[in-house]
Amino acid sequence: MDTQTESSFEPNYRSKKFKKQGSAFKRWRRRLSIAFAGVLVVMLGGAGWFYLTPSGSDIRYMMADTLITSQHRYLAKYLIGQKELDNRVADYMKRFDEMGEVKDEHNVSLASHPASDVQVEQISTKKYKGYIMYVHDPKMIRVVTTNVVGSGETVLSMVKRTGAIAGVNGGAFDDPNWDGNGFRPAGIVMSGGKVLYKGDGMQAAVNVVGIDKNGLMVAGRYKPSQLLDMGVTDAVTFQPKFIVNGKGLIKSEADGWGIAPRTVMAQQKDGTIMFVVIDGRQPGYSVGATLYDIQKILLAKGAVTAANLDGGSSTVLVKDDAVVNKPSSQYGMRYLPSAFLVFDHPEEFDSGNIWDGIDMQHFDSSQPRTSTSS
């Protein structure tokens, strides 16, 4: 009787159990659908904010500018479209040329300073970390070039090889796919009063950053022939010049050319040269800075002239035969054609001309560095 009764109730029991399980599954599925719908609404709302509102667009364009300054420039098209990407790059280049044409009154009173007075100051904010190197006697600075045919050279190697006190990376160069050999400069290179490289000839105006025989910083758009007439001794090509006559030319964060590692050269009224090196692309340590960030730092430090140098994975500061900052490249220091170095006795240094006699118009920058490169 007990067995019969138990058996007679078993199907009913299982039916109730399955119904409960079915109800639980439906409730779970309904909650999952609501959660998915909520996530979808948030995503669509976020996308709407990102693409359709002024604040969202500001962040989107900042991200695009950050990509534009990196080796992944092509990815910016997914944020702003290929046409807008092309237009934005062209607009930056146009503005940089215009900034390079702003007349500099050269309101600097060159003073006498101890030859060995080179100081390094650390910069630290929540967003970025870096250094300012002060070279109080601007005549201590020379442009140094690689000494290996077919290869760039690291700044650390240049400093050690020449016996320099310190150095930072210099000008632009041809670097196909950001994996080139670092040998072919862009624009011009001058050292010791000589034009070592002139990619577009003596009469083509290019944006340069350099220094003249009296220690006056020169930045802007010039022909190599003009630079010689002006007494410029050492210069490389990069852009933009963004502080002129003590006034900043970058109007806002939105015009700061993205967040990236930076190297900048500037001059104070007494002639002191400041090299600013900002680390970047290292979340948790330092993401990098915009040129507007650097402009604010330099104006607070009394800069009357400032110009951008090559940044990104090229950014490096070397002092006393050691790398001071944390370069962003996972492969170590970049191989470069030029650098600004600081010497106790700059008059004794002669860079020579590594490019003399080489057909640089047909040089293949994508070839591997020579085996003798350091």
Side-chain angles (χ1 to χ4, degrees):
M1 178 69 178
D2 289 341
T3 304
Q4 240 180 356
T5 303
E6 187 176 336
S7 297
S8 64
F9 278 102
E10 186 174 333
N12 189 38
Y13 169 77
R14 287 181 179 176
S15 176
K16 288 181 180 178
K17 182 178 179 181
F18 289 149
K19 284 180 181 179
K20 286 182 180 179
Q21 289 177 340
S23 297
F25 176 73
K26 287 178 182 179
R27 286 195 301 271
W28 177 82
R29 188 172 60 182
R30 185 164 54 250
R31 289 171 183 168
L32 184 63
S33 299
I34 292 171
F36 179 77
V39 171
L40 186 61
V41 168
V42 170
M43 289 177 63
L44 290 174
W49 169 82
F50 193 55
Y51 283 94
L52 301 176
T53 68
S55 59
S57 293
D58 285 346
I59 293 176
R60 183 161 52 89
Y61 274 88
M62 175 69 74
M63 292 171 63
D65 285 347
T66 299
L67 289 168
I68 286 171
T69 63
S70 76
Q71 65 191 76
H72 304 296
R73 173 180 291 187
Y74 69 95
L75 292 175
K77 69 182 179 181
Y78 297 111
L79 292 169
I80 59 177
Q82 186 64 53
K83 184 178 179 180
E84 183 64 16
L85 169 59
D86 295 340
N87 290 340
R88 195 156 182 84
V89 171
D91 182 58
Y92 267 118
M93 295 303 106
K94 182 180 179 222
R95 275 189 284 162
F96 289 170
D97 284 347
E98 290 170 352
M99 292 160 76
E101 298 284 3
V102 177
K103 186 177 180 181
D104 196 328
E105 301 297 336
H106 299 297
N107 49 351
V108 174
S109 300
L110 296 171
S112 177
H113 297 283
S116 60
D117 197 3
V118 177
Q119 302 166 327
V120 174
E121 173 188 343
Q122 191 169 10
I123 303 170
S124 181
T125 72
K126 292 181 180 179
K127 178 180 171 184
Y128 56 80
K129 290 178 173 59
Y131 300 87
I132 302 177
M133 180 169 69
Y134 297 88
V135 184
H136 292 291
D137 182 356
K139 293 182 182 179
M140 296 170 65
I141 298 168
R142 290 287 179 271
V143 167
V144 175
T145 68
T146 177
N147 73 333
V148 179
V149 174
S151 173
E153 186 178 4
T154 67
V155 176
L156 179 60
S157 174
M158 292 183 196
V159 167
K160 289 182 175 181
R161 172 171 60 83
T162 62
I165 300 170
V168 301
N169 55 291
F173 59 102
D174 186 28
D175 193 19
N177 301 315
W178 278 262
D179 192 31
N181 50 50
F183 185 66
R184 180 180 177 179
I188 71 165
V189 177
M190 294 181 68
S191 181
K194 301 174 183 176
V195 177
L196 306 184
Y197 187 88
K198 49 185 188 303
D200 297 318
M202 291 297 287
Q203 300 305 317
V206 292
N207 286 296
V208 301
V209 185
I211 199 161
D212 76 4
K213 61 185 178 182
N214 298 314
L216 184 70
M217 180 176 166
V218 175
R221 192 165 175 78
Y222 297 98
K223 300 174 183 178
S225 57
Q226 289 178 302
L227 295 173
L228 289 175
D229 291 341
M230 294 162 58
V232 173
T233 57
D234 297 80
V236 297
T237 286
F238 216 77
Q239 66 214 0
K241 172 174 71 173
F242 60 91
I243 295 179
V244 185
N245 304 319
K247 297 180 180 179
L249 301 182
I250 302 173
K251 302 305 180 185
S252 69
E253 191 79 46
D255 294 326
W257 204 19
I259 299 170
R262 301 285 181 189
T263 304
V264 167
M265 180 175 174
Q267 188 166 43
Q268 295 174 323
K269 194 175 179 100
D270 71 349
T272 297
I273 293 292
M274 296 182 287
F275 288 105
V276 180
V277 171
I278 301 293
D279 288 325
R281 299 173 185 162
Q282 300 172 70
Y285 165 63
S286 179
V287 297
T290 67
L291 285 180
Y292 189 65
D293 292 327
I294 309 301
Q295 179 177 278
K296 288 190 289 186
I297 292 172
L298 288 172
L299 289 175
K301 296 290 184 181
V304 294
T305 306
N308 194 35
L309 293 172
D310 189 16
S313 55
S314 296
T315 289
V316 65
L317 169 61
V318 174
K319 189 173 186 294
D320 300 328
D321 291 347
V323 177
V324 177
N325 69 314
K326 295 183 179 179
S328 63
S329 175
Q330 61 179 316
Y331 305 108
M333 286 178 291
R334 216 168 178 189
Y335 288 79
L336 311 172
S338 65
F340 281 101
L341 268 55
V342 184
F343 292 90
D344 272 325
H345 300 285
E347 71 281 355
E348 297 176 1
F349 174 74
D350 183 357
S351 182
N353 190 347
I354 194 69
W355 302 290
D356 188 32
I358 300 175
D359 180 9
M360 294 302 295
Q361 294 297 325
H362 298 92
F363 179 80
D364 186 357
S365 299
S366 67
Q367 291 298 309
R369 292 189 302 275
T370 58
S371 59
T372 55
S373 63
S374 53

